[in-house]
Amino acid sequence: MLSPEILADPVELTRVLVDVESVSGDEAELADQVETALRRAAHLSVERHGNVVLASTHTDRPQRVILAGHLDTVPIADNLPSTVEGDVIHGCGTADMKSGVALALNLAATVARPRYDVTYLFYDCEEVEAERNGLNRLAKTHPEKLAADFAILLEPTYGLVEAGCQGTMRAVVTAVGRRAHSARSWLGVNAIHAAGAILNTLEAYEPRTVTIDGCTYREGLNAVRIAGGVAGNVIPDECRIEINYRFAPDRTEAEAAAHVRELFADFAVEITDSAPAAMPGLASAIAKEFLDVVGQPPQAKLGWTDVARFAALGVPALNFGPGDPNLAHKRDERVEIPKIRAGAEVLRRWLTA
Amino acid sequence: MLSPEILADPVELTRVLVDVESVSGDEAELADQVETALRRAAHLSVERHGNVVLASTHTDRPQRVILAGHLDTVPIADNLPSTVEGDVIHGCGTADMKSGVALALNLAATVARPRYDVTYLFYDCEEVEAERNGLNRLAKTHPEKLAADFAILLEPTYGLVEAGCQGTMRAVVTAVGRRAHSARSWLGVNAIHAAGAILNTLEAYEPRTVTIDGCTYREGLNAVRIAGGVAGNVIPDECRIEINYRFAPDRTEAEAAAHVRELFADFAVEITDSAPAAMPGLASAIAKEFLDVVGQPPQAKLGWTDVARFAALGVPALNFGPGDPNLAHKRDERVEIPKIRAGAEVLRRWLTA
């Protein structure tokens, strides 16, 4: 139960949110609790779309900002219910990203007249395939709900501003050969051996480093899966390598695909998945005001995050949250209580100045 | 029913044997028919061990030879009952190896006083895992039954002498790395990229060609399977390559294993499966006499066959049969009638000279 006392304390709120299990696809209970809590605030109008909960202020400010967080977590790894040790809360979702959700929920419940109008957005299925992502669904069915001048995604950044994000593309590069019995291997062509050339290209690849708006994006090109082979006595006729290209925001998806195809021009290349990068978008006045309150230089966001969905809708967006991104998805995931308090303080100062 | 008329004609006998289905594990009916037919011959003493049938002459010759064949076939592929088109018998088992079994059974029934004492050996489960192989079982439980000066396995060789066989070894070579999120790939070590060095070694490998007793063995070292990868956004920490080494009979299994370990000294190597090679064993007087009757130079056997089991017991052994080895296990498996007649003639001349 998200009582007013719990909603008023972002640390206590984090613990309560963490202890409501909400692995992707199983967010209904948590969405119910969030919706119920928000509907008690007279200054908010609340909507529910599946397991997406939207709450908005309507105070006729000239500008609107979005504070967004996903409700779901990766699968639990013997790390629930949460525990507290000194200044640290341990448990699944503490960093990614229920401590961030707690900051937004705390503000939603307690700031009746913010400096800008605010849309608080809590959504489901961020940790799974894009088609199920609640924000992605909303962007397609109700893009007008995402109209805003600026957005903050409360993903773990350890209290820094992480701006924009890299694009990500997956491709399958296939080496082919000809089957034969392995006792007469010279009658065949070994596709796994041929795939060595693909791995050599990957091993020798020098990824770019690109700086935009003071944010430095470091690219990466990696094999993430390899598979080949027919049977223990057959020269294999196919070897498939799935690669993942993380590209800086100065490249479009089309440019990224052309780059991958050029690198592996001797092989069949199938692009299987792609998401655009997002420019850091730090030029707007609201972004600058937020950066001033944070008081730290912005960093490039390296992972792909839903800020790219806002960027695609023309809404400048950045990541800012109390969790350590390096602890996301780990068995020993945790969040530092002082980081929660500091993040809450930054957002409150910015929204109520 | 294997009547005396059918037993006297290796071609007719082939058809009758083929039409008794005997997929591995289901040889009882065929073993029964073979046993019954052999027990009618006064010059043979017959034993049955499971679905292994042994029939021996005891004419006090100074030397004993074994003629052996397996009764089982691979699964039927819409190719039974057999059909005859011109000079060709079509059907499952025609080449591998009921035409060979027919030659042995024809001799067993009709040659009362062969030049050497003969043990005719018909066994089950050659086409499946070694533990079920009837010859392998007999070698363990009754090795004395396999004592002989020379053995011929009537596997398909298209009328040539194929001597000895290569050894075969499987090993898993593993490249290791360190996991990281693929958006921050420089924090990890990509095991699939590291496996490129293994593939380069395989691609550059120059297999040996070894000639023994006039038989040339061509080795091979091949990746037959590769697998690696954790998820589409994770730098993989392991890549496993299964390799198959086919080695000439001048190498023991231990030497073969040492060679593989040396080639991949920078990686973890696990030997997962191994079967020894067999020397061609053509030096004996009996082998020379047989080669003289065949009148063709011997060839190296490249695939692994049960001759290696005889070699392991100290019995020189070779393959000689009417079927085409390239048709074994194929849907359009077939045998040429003139090859059956020629093979029968060679064996009869050799055994009755």
Side-chain angles (χ1 to χ4, degrees), chain A residues 294-312:
Chain A
V294 174
Q296 300 257 19
Q299 312 282 317
K301 182 70 188 179
L302 299 173
W304 197 88
T305 75
D306 278 340
V307 298
R309 300 193 199 282
F310 288 107

Side-chain angles (χ1 to χ4, degrees), chain A residues 170 182 185-186 190 192-193 199-200 203 218 222-229 232-236 244 246 302-303, chain B residues 170 182-183 185-186 190 192-193 199-200 203 218 221-229 232-233 235-236 244 246 302:
Chain A
R170 288 195 183 77
S182 63
S185 53
W186 52 92
N190 194 313
I192 295 177
H193 297 192
L199 300 186
N200 293 341
E203 182 78 348
R218 192 167 165 182
N222 275 276
V224 290
R225 238 186 285 266
I226 189 167
N233 59 356
V234 176
I235 302 304
N244 182 209
R246 301 280 175 156
L302 299 173
Chain B
R170 286 194 185 80
S182 64
S185 52
W186 52 92
N190 194 314
I192 295 176
H193 297 192
L199 300 187
N200 292 341
E203 181 77 349
R218 192 165 167 185
L221 180 72
N222 275 277
V224 289
R225 237 185 284 266
I226 188 167
N233 59 355
I235 301 304
N244 182 209
R246 301 281 175 154
L302 299 173

Side-chain angles (χ1 to χ4, degrees), chain B residues 161-164 210-217 249 280 282 297-301:
Chain B
V161 169
E162 293 191 346
V210 178
T211 299
I212 303 167
D213 285 359
C215 298
T216 298
Y217 297 87
L282 299 177
Q299 312 285 315
K301 183 72 189 176

Side-chain angles (χ1 to χ4, degrees), chain B residues 50-78:
Chain B
N51 286 328
V52 175
V53 182
L54 281 161
S56 309
T57 66
H58 295 281
T59 55
D60 292 324
R61 305 295 191 206
Q63 292 181 299
R64 176 172 292 278
V65 301
I66 296 176
L67 295 184
H70 62 82
L71 298 173
D72 61 320
T73 68
V74 294
I76 295 153
D78 295 322

Side-chain angles (χ1 to χ4, degrees), chain A residues 256-271:
Chain A
H259 179 60
V260 169
R261 290 189 191 283
E262 189 189 346
L263 278 172
F264 302 106
D266 294 341
F267 298 91
V269 175
E270 184 196 0
I271 307 293

